[in-house]
Amino acid sequence: MATGRTHRPATRSRGIPEATVARLPLYLRALTALSERSVPTVSSEELAAAAGVNSAKLRKDFSYLGSYGTRGVGYDVEYLVYQISRELGLTQDWPVVIVGIGNLGAALANYGGFASRGFRVAALIDADPAMAGRPVAGIPVQHTDELEKIIEDNGVSIGVIATPAGAAQQVCDRLVAAGVTSILNFAPTVLSVPDGVDVRKVDLSIELQILAFHEQRKAGEEAEAAGSDGSGPVAAARQESAEQGPDGDVPAVMPA
Amino acid sequence: MATGRTHRPATRSRGIPEATVARLPLYLRALTALSERSVPTVSSEELAAAAGVNSAKLRKDFSYLGSYGTRGVGYDVEYLVYQISRELGLTQDWPVVIVGIGNLGAALANYGGFASRGFRVAALIDADPAMAGRPVAGIPVQHTDELEKIIEDNGVSIGVIATPAGAAQQVCDRLVAAGVTSILNFAPTVLSVPDGVDVRKVDLSIELQILAFHEQRKAGEEAEAAGSDGSGPVAAARQESAEQGPDGDVPAVMPA
DNA sequence: AGGTGTGAAACTCTTCACAGCA
DNA sequence: TGCTGTGAAGAGTTTCACACCT
């Protein structure tokens, strides 16, 4: 890793594993659906199925949060929704700005999944003066010149970058300088940020490339398997099938 | 683990770890940039920096592909581009269909990153009859009724779902029935697919929730730290900062 | 010298399997 | 009885550190 020294002696055991954190939103989504159907309790087995994980993993994940279940019964849906929301920090309001209002930025602005969690789109920002003032998803687009003012006035700490790759680092620098400490990056570039700033990235073409890898392997195996196993083509077999591998791992910190 | 493997003692040692596969596109992007600047060779250190990983990891990753470097020198850029492309299956053409042409679907259709890899948008499909015939990114949108025909005529094995959550499973079923074996899902739902079909998902709000978790933790630590360490506010401290955790892990299989 | 390739150690995450409580 | 909570085993991933080649 970069410089660091690793272990943090102190900071106590608030240690929820990253892998667990990444699944909490999944559980939350499943729980919200149950809540809307007024289901009072769920077993780890049922909830795991709804979230698409196995029950042992789910129970282990929840064990990091505390003992919120009842043996012999299961989990109280409403209570769990609250606990997970709190753990994820969704009980507070998070103003976010979206920079780069092309198709993707517009899609993000219109995406209902944000508002339903604690996220509020505080502003849309674009470098194109022609966009300024035009409303997208009911929010008027503002010019990049206003970026710093917007961040400060709204106390924004989370920024979404949906600009072309070429503009991303520059936008990122300005966001960070203005006080943003978490960035969700859709531009296909590695962003360099100072220590203390989190970056997560979503790269559409990377996901497709991973699929292509597996797709190619299937084709190869298929050809190779001709004859080795006489039991029909696809066969039934194990559930589980498609786990999404360790995907991510975005370093985000870049040593000059 | 995606679908397939597992069983089958045979299939020989073509085993590239998932974590490595997930990083190959990152390396490829960095290498492509170097290639465009006509850089002939790179060291693991330089390339790692450009891709945002550390050099030991990069060398280990490449070691799974073979010994493509030269000790004391580094890696030949063009050669590596080719080897990685081949490994990912990008030396062949992958026709893909995008289903659901809202803002997000349109963004995907317009995304240049696809064509520049081996992906070709074979068709855009939407359920809204009013969209039919209208061109998006130069490609006319076709109605959902045509889905099966399009898949078959074009030999499509990769499908992208950008529909609302409610329609996703149905679309998924039709894609699979028509022969698609890899799906990239943008709808916030767990998709149920038969064995042998890969699903990767991208959920915008999940990424934001993970950022919120860390953001909240930062705020907490900051408050808690007041006084414990006299050296200025933010301090240097842990480098580490922004690794994108084990993010993914999409189960994709959903019972009932 | 300079930088790759790689065993081995360290760490993280997942799965097992069962004790223990409602 | 039924299902949670969890120690322990197992699998996968990252990092170390150095032998080895150019």
Side-chain angles (χ1 to χ4, degrees), chain B residues 202-223:
Chain B
V202 175
D203 187 319
L204 313 170
S205 105
I206 283 182
E207 297 301 323
L208 271 189
Q209 289 172 61
I210 296 170
L211 282 177
F213 172 84
H214 292 299
E215 195 58 43
Q216 173 180 240
R217 199 174 38 123
K218 279 182 220 167
E221 249 166 44
E222 198 174 284

Side-chain angles (χ1 to χ4, degrees), chain A:
Chain A
M1 221 66 318
T3 326
R5 157 127 6 31
T6 359
H7 3 13
R8 137 200 10 191
T11 311
R12 237 201 17 294
S13 56
R14 225 294 127 30
I16 298 179
E18 265 303 306
T20 294
V21 172
R23 281 188 296 267
L24 292 181
L26 236 49
Y27 301 143
L28 186 55
R29 193 168 72 193
L31 284 164
T32 303
L34 291 172
S35 173
E36 276 163 9
R37 291 197 284 127
S38 301
V39 176
T41 59
V42 252
S43 66
S44 62
E45 200 70 54
E46 294 165 329
L47 182 54
V53 302
N54 71 49
S55 63
K57 198 186 281 182
L58 177 143
R59 288 200 302 279
K60 183 60 115 182
D61 283 342
F62 286 179
S63 79
Y64 293 117
L65 307 184
S67 290
Y68 296 148
T70 306
R71 292 170 199 234
V73 179
Y75 301 91
D76 181 275
V77 173
E78 295 303 328
Y79 186 53
L80 248 195
V81 165
Y82 171 71
Q83 290 299 343
I84 294 179
S85 295
R86 192 176 51 79
E87 199 63 63
L88 283 172
L90 304 181
T91 49
Q92 66 184 278
D93 181 73
W94 292 105
V96 306
V97 295
I98 300 173
V99 186
I101 315 300
N103 275 305
L104 180 57
L108 294 168
N110 279 297
Y111 182 43
F114 291 170
S116 69
R117 306 289 182 286
F119 305 100
R120 177 169 52 80
V121 178
L124 304 180
I125 302 175
D126 198 281
D128 181 358
M131 293 285 297
R134 188 180 307 184
V136 171
I139 303 167
V141 175
Q142 297 179 71
H143 190 265
T144 315
D145 290 347
E146 313 290 328
L147 191 146
E148 286 76 11
K149 184 173 187 333
I150 294 168
I151 302 291
E152 279 154 41
D153 288 358
N154 293 277
V156 173
S157 54
I158 300 178
V160 177
I161 298 180
T163 65
Q169 182 63 58
Q170 194 178 24
V171 167
C172 174
D173 291 344
R174 288 182 63 182
L175 288 173
V176 171
V180 166
T181 46
S182 286
I183 290 176
L184 180 51
N185 179 34
F186 286 89
T189 329
V190 174
L191 291 179
S192 168
V193 295
D195 202 18
V197 175
D198 275 337
V199 176
R200 290 191 68 85
K201 74 145 197 320
V202 175
D203 187 319
L204 313 171
S205 104
I206 282 181
E207 298 300 324
L208 272 189
Q209 289 173 61
I210 296 171
L211 283 177
F213 172 84
H214 292 300
E215 195 58 42
Q216 172 181 242
R217 201 173 37 126
K218 279 181 219 166
E221 251 166 44
E222 197 175 285
E224 172 189 323
S228 67
D229 180 314
S231 67
V234 180
R238 21 204 315 101
Q239 207 35 320
E240 281 309 282
S241 71
E243 285 264 339
Q244 180 160 333
D247 177 61
D249 181 54
V250 159
V253 171
M254 215 210 88

